[in-house]
Amino acid sequence: MDHSGHGMNMDLPPFTLGRGLELSVEPFFLTGCLLALALYGYGVVRLRRRGDGWPVSRVISFTVGVLSILLVMCTKLNDYGMVMFSVHMVQHMVISMLSPILLLLGAPVTLALRALPPAGRGRVGPRELLLKLLHSRYIKIVTHPAFTIPIFIASLYALYFTPLFDFLMGSKPGHIGMMVHFLAVGLVFFWPIMGVDPGPHRPGYVMRMLELFAGMPFHAFFGIALMMATTPMVGTYSDPPASLGIDALSDQNWAGGIAWAFSEIPSVLVLIALVYQWYHSEQRAARRSDRAADRDGDKELEAYNAYLASLQARQ
C-alpha cells in the first residue's frame, strides 16, 4: 500500500535508529546543503587570505547546523517520516528549532558582508543587494515579533489541525515546500532573538528573552494536545503500513511527547547564547568607558566627586 502520495514504496520494516540513519538522498536538500557549505567555506577562505580572522566556533556551529538538516532530510528518517508521525515530528523539531539556531550562531550574513567586495561607486553588486535587502521594508516586517510569533505558532496549529498538512504530504513538491517553510520560520523567529547577524529589528536582551518565551509555551500545548487525543488527528498518519507494526494513536502520542520535550531544548540553547552575548556586551561597554576615562582624565568621576562635595558643603 502506498502511504506517501509520492509514488514511493512505503512498506518499510519496523523502525530502528540504525535503519532511520541509513542514507536516503533527497536531491533538493542535498544540493542546498552542499551549496550552503561551499559558499560559507568560500567566505571564510576569502577573509583568511586577506589576513582577517573568523571564529572557529562560528564555522563549527554553521557546519553542524547544515549537517543537522542533512541528518533528517537525506537519511531514511525522511522516508519513515512519511508514514510515522513520531519520526516526522523529530524532523520538524530539528529543522525548525535546532538547525536555525546553529545556522544563525554561524553568522552567515555577517560573513557575507565581510567577504563580498564592494561593487564600486555607482554600481550594484551582491554586497549592495544584500544590504538593500537587510534594510528593506520586507525584512522589517518578517523579523518583527508581531509577525514572527504568530507564524511560529501557526506553523503548528494551522498546519496539523487542518487539511493543509494532508494536502502538502500528498506530493513531493508539497512535502519539500513544507520542510523549507519550517526552516524559514525558524530562521526568522530566532534571527532577531539571537542577535549575531545585523538586522532591522534588534531589541534589548530582556525583550529578546520575552520574545523567546512568548512562542515556546505553544509548542508545549501542541504536544500535550496530541498526547491527550483519543483518536488520530492527522489523516496522513491515521493508517500506518502494517509492515511497521505500530498503532497510529500510540505513534501520535510519541509525536506529542517529542513536540513537548523539544520546546525546552532550544529555549535553553538560546538562553545560554543570550546570557553569553549580554555578558560580553557589558564587558565591551565597560572597556569603552575605561578607554574614554583614560583619554579625558576621568572627568566624569571628578564631576561626580565635586557634586558629592557640594552636597556635603550645604549640610
Side-chain angles (χ1 to χ4, degrees):
M1 184 177 180
D2 177 21
H3 284 254
S4 71
H6 297 186
M8 295 170 58
N9 181 12
M10 285 289 113
D11 286 335
L12 297 166
F15 178 81
T16 64
L17 184 59
R19 287 170 180 159
L21 294 179
E22 291 176 7
L23 190 65
S24 180
V25 172
E26 207 304 307
F28 178 86
F29 277 95
L30 178 63
T31 303
C33 288
L34 292 179
L35 183 61
L37 287 175
L39 290 173
Y40 194 91
Y42 174 73
V44 174
V45 169
R46 276 188 63 90
L47 289 186
R48 295 276 167 84
R49 281 180 176 173
R50 73 182 188 211
D52 293 337
W54 186 255
V56 175
S57 59
R58 289 184 176 179
V59 177
I60 294 173
S61 179
F62 188 85
T63 303
V64 174
V66 173
L67 292 178
S68 70
I69 298 173
L70 287 171
L71 177 68
V72 296
M73 294 307 302
C74 289
T75 64
K76 286 196 174 178
L77 288 175
N78 192 38
D79 296 340
Y80 277 100
M82 301 303 300
V83 289
M84 291 181 65
F85 200 0
S86 56
V87 178
H88 167 82
M89 194 55 65
V90 171
Q91 287 183 281
H92 181 170
M93 293 298 109
V94 169
I95 208 168
S96 70
M97 300 180 75
L98 183 60
S99 303
I101 293 170
L102 292 169
L103 294 175
L104 289 167
L105 286 174
V109 176
T110 301
L111 176 62
L113 290 173
R114 289 184 60 186
L116 288 170
R121 183 176 297 179
R123 299 173 61 188
V124 177
R127 189 177 188 277
E128 288 70 26
L129 289 174
L130 178 58
L131 282 169
K132 187 175 181 180
L133 177 63
L134 289 173
H135 292 95
S136 67
R137 180 171 301 212
Y138 170 76
I139 292 295
K140 289 180 181 179
I141 292 172
V142 299
T143 59
H144 195 279
F147 177 86
T148 60
I149 295 174
I151 198 70
F152 191 68
I153 297 168
S155 291
L156 289 172
Y157 295 90
L159 183 64
Y160 290 98
F161 296 161
T162 70
L164 181 58
F165 182 82
D166 295 328
F167 171 76
L168 293 173
M169 289 290 283
S171 68
K172 188 172 183 178
H175 179 238
I176 292 174
M178 177 170 60
M179 289 299 177
V180 171
H181 168 78
F182 290 154
L183 178 61
V185 167
L187 287 170
V188 297
F189 178 77
F190 289 110
W191 180 12
I193 295 173
M194 300 301 294
V196 180
D197 277 325
H201 176 64
R202 187 64 76 237
Y205 288 97
V206 174
M207 187 58 66
R208 293 186 204 177
M209 292 179 185
L210 291 176
E211 286 183 28
L212 172 66
F213 291 115
M216 290 306 162
F218 291 95
H219 263 265
F221 297 153
F222 171 76
I224 292 170
L226 290 179
M227 287 190 289
M228 292 183 65
T230 56
T231 58
M233 300 182 70
V234 178
T236 299
Y237 301 112
S238 62
D239 183 24
S243 62
L244 292 173
I246 61 172
D247 172 67
L249 190 58
S250 176
D251 188 51
Q252 179 174 279
N253 290 338
W254 272 102
I258 290 165
W260 174 74
F262 229 100
S263 65
E264 304 301 323
I265 298 172
S267 301
V268 173
L269 289 176
V270 175
L271 197 58
I272 292 171
L274 281 177
V275 171
Y276 178 82
Q277 291 172 15
W278 198 349
Y279 170 76
H280 279 269
S281 175
E282 292 296 318
Q283 292 291 99
R284 288 194 297 270
R287 286 195 292 270
R288 285 196 299 269
S289 178
D290 290 341
R291 287 195 295 269
D294 291 339
R295 287 194 300 270
D296 62 17
D298 216 346
K299 292 180 180 178
E300 184 178 345
L301 180 60
E302 290 178 8
Y304 182 67
N305 288 334
Y307 171 70
L308 292 178
S310 67
L311 291 178
Q312 190 173 6
R314 293 175 186 174
Q315 293 178 357

